Amino acid sequence: MRNYWQFLQQGWPLLVFGFLAVFFGNFGQSFFISWYGAAIQADLNLSASTYGAAYSFATLVSGSALMFVGGWIDKWSLRRFASTVALGLFVGCLTLAFTHNIVLLVIGFFLVRLFGQGLFPHTGITTMARSFDKNRGKALSIATMGVPVGEVILPILAVLFIAKFGWQMSWAAFALLIPVVFIPCMLFVVRRAHQLGLQVDSEIKAQSLEASVKDQPATQAVGRKQVLRDYRFWLALPVMLSGPFVVTGVFIHQGFILAQKQWSPEWFAACFIFYGVVHGLGSMGVGFLIDRFSATRLLPFKALPIVFALLLLAFANGPWVAWAMLGLLGVSIGCGGPIGAALWAEVYGTEKLGAIRSMTSSFAVWSTAVSPILFGVLIDNGMSIQALMSGVAVYVSAATLMGYMAYRVKK
């Protein structure tokens, strides 16, 4: 604990930056935007399918763009990159604030998904993984706490703002937080980090706890091409995508689940708070495990709670199932973020970490666009909740086995 306190004292400017970047990225996350769905559909006179198509299209395009622009963090200073991302999210929030047709809605969704869901957490997590070596797990845990904190706070603020100002002016109010809160805090902590001699920008030599993908020296940069040619990456990818894929599908189609389980929306909403709390505890706790055992050793275990959650949804009944299911999903998602961020740094080094993370983040974003459509088609074709959740559990189990074989296999 004494060493942990020293770590906080020495690295607090970058830790604050990482937390803030991940927290502000919540403005582009599905759990936050979902609170605006009903108001947007009513105001713009959109059907559920049209609204969903607009959201999925914006998500797919933003995920593709993320792969190209995310690598700029390896070439730009942190101050410049973070300021650009903040400006993009600010414009996205204002676009939604002044939306009056579906075209502006898609543009607004694209901007908040790219800069919010994509680039803001990408900036914070990449900085943590690159700047901290010995305490990488702890740093990633602190930064990724921005998501569960947002899950607890932001829905309440969204409901209050929508009720008081309307959904459009609500987005304008959140937009103002970026120049008033984030940018001044970001400039202060980055300047303080430079003064303390912390590694802030990307002039860092690649470090690897294992041999790089072609048994190159660890100092030789490993980029996207080498990663994509590494079969171990393809073994690890399914288990890395299992969390975003499953959670998005379950949350988007929660109406189907509530009807099947005979849960009230109020009950599920109360249980969702528990999800946010467990998510945060998982994020914090796994950092110590990463620093002790490494992310490569923890990778096979990250999705096991999802398997149990899906089996509970498939075969168990009763109000308690909602608590247990959301708790298990929260543990997996909370642990999965730091494990994934540390994994790429451990195996492929940090010199081109931004390019690698933006690529894997794009895959994750695409998975969140696929699962709602896939689940919806299966549900519309009469698939039972038992068959649906059991089938997804088989996929996650297979992905877990592949993850176990991935980076334990030496080339």
Side-chain angles (χ1 to χ4, degrees), residues 11-274:
W12 71 265
L14 285 182
L15 297 174
V16 170
F17 170 81
F19 175 86
L20 286 175
V22 173
F23 178 84
F24 272 82
N26 286 319
F27 292 135
Q29 297 285 0
S30 294
F31 81 85
F32 180 74
I33 297 175
S34 64
W35 292 96
Y36 291 86
I40 292 174
Q41 290 179 60
D43 198 28
L44 301 185
N45 195 26
L46 302 177
S47 67
S49 59
T50 302
Y51 176 79
Y55 188 73
S56 293
F57 176 75
T59 298
L60 286 170
V61 177
S62 69
S64 302
L66 174 62
M67 184 176 295
F68 295 99
V69 301
W72 295 351
I73 195 173
D74 296 328
K75 304 173 183 178
W76 293 8
S77 69
L78 181 59
R79 183 185 291 108
R80 178 187 178 190
F81 189 83
S83 298
T84 302
V85 172
L87 177 62
L89 183 58
F90 176 72
V91 173
C93 292
L94 286 184
T95 301
L96 290 176
F98 293 98
T99 290
H100 60 271
N101 57 49
I102 193 170
V103 175
L104 285 176
L105 179 68
V106 171
I107 294 173
F109 276 162
F110 165 75
L111 291 173
V112 298
R113 294 291 274 170
L114 173 60
F115 292 98
Q117 183 204 28
L119 288 173
F120 248 117
H122 172 67
T123 305
I125 292 172
T126 301
T127 301
M128 298 300 97
R130 171 180 286 146
S131 300
F132 296 96
D133 182 16
K134 182 179 178 182
N135 294 298
R136 180 178 291 134
K138 300 183 188 68
L140 289 168
S141 293
I142 292 172
T144 53
M145 275 293 294
V147 174
V149 170
E151 289 171 341
V152 173
I153 295 175
L154 292 180
I156 299 173
L157 291 179
V159 171
L160 292 175
F161 282 18
I162 292 172
K164 187 172 181 61
F165 306 113
W167 73 269
Q168 289 178 302
M169 287 302 99
S170 170
W171 277 107
F174 285 120
L176 289 177
L177 293 177
I178 298 171
V180 172
V181 177
F182 176 78
I183 291 180
C185 290
M186 180 272 294
L187 294 175
F188 171 76
V189 295
V190 170
R191 181 172 64 250
R192 187 59 179 154
H194 278 294
Q195 294 172 347
L196 294 177
L198 298 175
Q199 178 63 55
V200 175
D201 295 316
S202 60
E203 301 88 4
I204 202 168
K205 296 295 181 182
Q207 301 168 354
S208 180
L209 300 183
E210 297 187 15
S212 64
V213 293
K214 285 193 174 181
D215 292 329
Q216 303 162 341
T219 55
Q220 186 170 346
V222 176
R224 290 175 179 170
K225 291 182 179 180
Q226 294 93 329
V227 172
L228 291 174
R229 288 197 294 262
D230 182 10
Y231 71 91
R232 299 175 303 168
F233 170 77
W234 296 106
L235 288 175
L237 188 61
V239 74
M240 292 302 303
L241 300 183
S242 61
F245 176 84
V246 171
V247 167
T248 302
V250 169
F251 287 172
I252 291 296
H253 292 285
Q254 66 184 21
F256 168 74
I257 295 173
L258 295 182
Q260 294 291 309
K261 295 297 181 181
Q262 296 182 343
W263 298 334
S264 69
E266 294 78 12
W267 171 251
F268 195 71
C271 296
F272 198 86
I273 297 176
F274 180 63

